[in-house]
Amino acid sequence: MLAEWRGVVVNPGTPTEAHFPNVHKQRKHWKSLKESTPRAGADAILRTKYTGPLRGPLAHGLACGALLATHNKVIWNDIGDSYDHYAEDVLVLRDAWGVTDRDGCLEQLSFLLRGMNSPAEIEFLLGVREAMAQRWPGTQDDAEAWRKISADQFLAHGNDPCGIPAIQELIGRILRYEARFRADGVLPPDGRITSTLAYDYGRAVNFARFGLSARYLTSAEAEQAILEAGELSRKAHRTWADFSAGYILGRVLRFDEEAYGEFYHPVVAAQRILLNEPSSPWRNIPFNDD
């Protein structure tokens, strides 16, 4: 009969799997460390690897993924063996993304970096409102004008008139979410959202980390995707606050259905931490070079 092995395995299933036998002897020490760690029940926890990237383009790209990382309570600036846990990362890609191999991983990453993972109607409508603001200052606050011009542009692009009720309903949802965002401090009192591309780009950062963890991407491929996501984010958004508001709107329009529940509160908590915590990457890494 084999003797019972007692110990801890770190990074199981990865190339850096390590075994530490007899650590039960340090049980009291491990228990005290656990008790000093932030409780798992918190909506969001900022975790930083101080030997990881903290400055420069790669750190900026990783910071674009910090909303999801902070929401998931994992380190935001690590490109290592696993995002959270090797086996669980593989399951996340399979169950949430339908990805089980390298080709599928590359395809989904491409969709995210091209802003094609989220419904195109959202960017279309926000773009119409921004064009209104540029051409007729002040009209961006006229909901009826937004609805009319959006319908006209929708038809001008050769779309089926039967789709107009859906885009009108989507405008209503955007306006109601923006009102709630202002009340909750996600947006300033006079703020509005100009793009939700942050949602695809921010997820691209973390998806690249998942892909590396699952061994579907190389380290160089993951880093390149993260750098690209950072540059694309700079083109689509102006500040970290603007980026995060766009991310949150993209998320809730996709999943929340105006319930203001699990798809809303945790990511709002993550935004508050990242905008206000002195050690946050958003307080220490400029969003734009200028």
Side-chain angles (χ1 to χ4, degrees):
M1 180 180 296
L2 294 175
E4 180 183 2
W5 187 86
R6 301 179 67 184
V8 169
V9 180
V10 177
N11 293 334
T14 74
T16 56
E17 178 176 302
H19 297 250
F20 296 89
N22 301 319
V23 294
H24 62 282
K25 295 178 180 178
Q26 289 82 38
R27 185 175 180 180
K28 289 184 178 179
H29 176 63
W30 288 108
K31 185 177 180 181
S32 67
L33 288 175
K34 179 180 178 181
E35 291 173 350
S36 66
T37 300
R39 298 298 180 187
D43 281 338
I45 298 172
L46 175 63
R47 298 188 189 277
T48 300
K49 183 178 181 179
Y50 289 100
T51 57
L54 296 171
R55 296 287 186 275
L58 184 57
H60 173 268
L62 287 164
C64 290
L67 260 176
L68 184 58
T70 302
H71 168 213
N72 286 342
K73 306 165 195 173
V74 300
I75 293 170
W76 67 268
N77 66 330
D78 186 29
I79 309 178
D81 283 325
S82 64
Y83 176 78
D84 184 12
H85 180 286
Y86 168 71
E88 291 179 8
D89 294 345
V90 172
L91 291 178
V92 165
L93 288 178
R94 185 195 71 185
D95 297 342
W97 295 89
V99 170
T100 58
D101 56 26
R102 173 175 169 79
D103 288 343
C105 185
L106 289 170
E107 181 180 48
Q108 285 293 343
L109 185 57
S110 175
F111 288 156
L112 288 166
L113 291 173
R114 286 184 287 163
M116 295 174 60
N117 190 272
S118 297
E121 292 81 1
I122 301 171
E123 281 302 293
F124 164 73
L125 292 174
L126 295 176
V128 168
R129 185 169 63 174
E130 283 308 291
M132 289 168 55
Q134 294 295 320
R135 188 168 182 180
W136 306 293
T139 59
Q140 69 272 11
D141 297 320
D142 186 336
E144 290 310 309
W146 187 16
R147 287 189 171 94
K148 182 182 185 308
I149 294 172
S150 295
D152 291 343
Q153 289 296 308
F154 185 78
L155 294 175
H157 283 81
N159 293 299
D160 188 334
C162 294
I164 290 178
I167 66 168
Q168 302 284 27
E169 191 274 336
L170 182 54
I171 287 175
R173 291 178 66 202
I174 292 171
L175 290 170
R176 290 189 293 274
Y177 270 119
E178 287 182 326
R180 177 63 179 264
F181 286 8
R182 295 184 196 102
D184 290 346
V186 174
L187 280 173
D190 59 348
R192 68 180 188 275
I193 291 168
T194 59
S195 173
T196 59
L197 285 171
Y199 185 53
D200 275 6
Y201 299 156
R203 286 185 298 157
V205 172
N206 294 283
F207 186 87
R209 295 176 63 192
F210 278 120
L212 175 60
S213 172
R215 306 299 176 261
Y216 298 148
L217 299 177
T218 67
S219 180
E221 289 170 333
E223 287 192 21
Q224 182 55 43
I226 292 166
L227 289 168
E228 185 175 349
E231 283 304 304
L232 290 167
S233 297
R234 282 179 167 145
K235 293 176 181 177
H237 297 275
R238 302 181 301 274
T239 64
W240 287 117
D242 178 56
F243 173 88
S244 59
Y247 180 103
I248 295 170
L249 181 63
R251 177 182 170 89
V252 295
L253 287 175
R254 186 80 173 270
F255 298 112
D256 183 62
E257 297 183 354
E258 296 187 75
Y260 301 98
E262 63 178 310
F263 291 104
Y264 179 70
H265 289 293
V267 75
V268 171
Q271 185 210 39
R272 289 173 179 157
I273 291 171
L274 288 162
L275 288 176
N276 296 296
E277 173 62 44
S279 63
S280 161
W282 291 6
R283 296 289 298 275
N284 294 282
I285 301 171
F287 185 76
N288 282 301
D289 292 332
D290 56 359

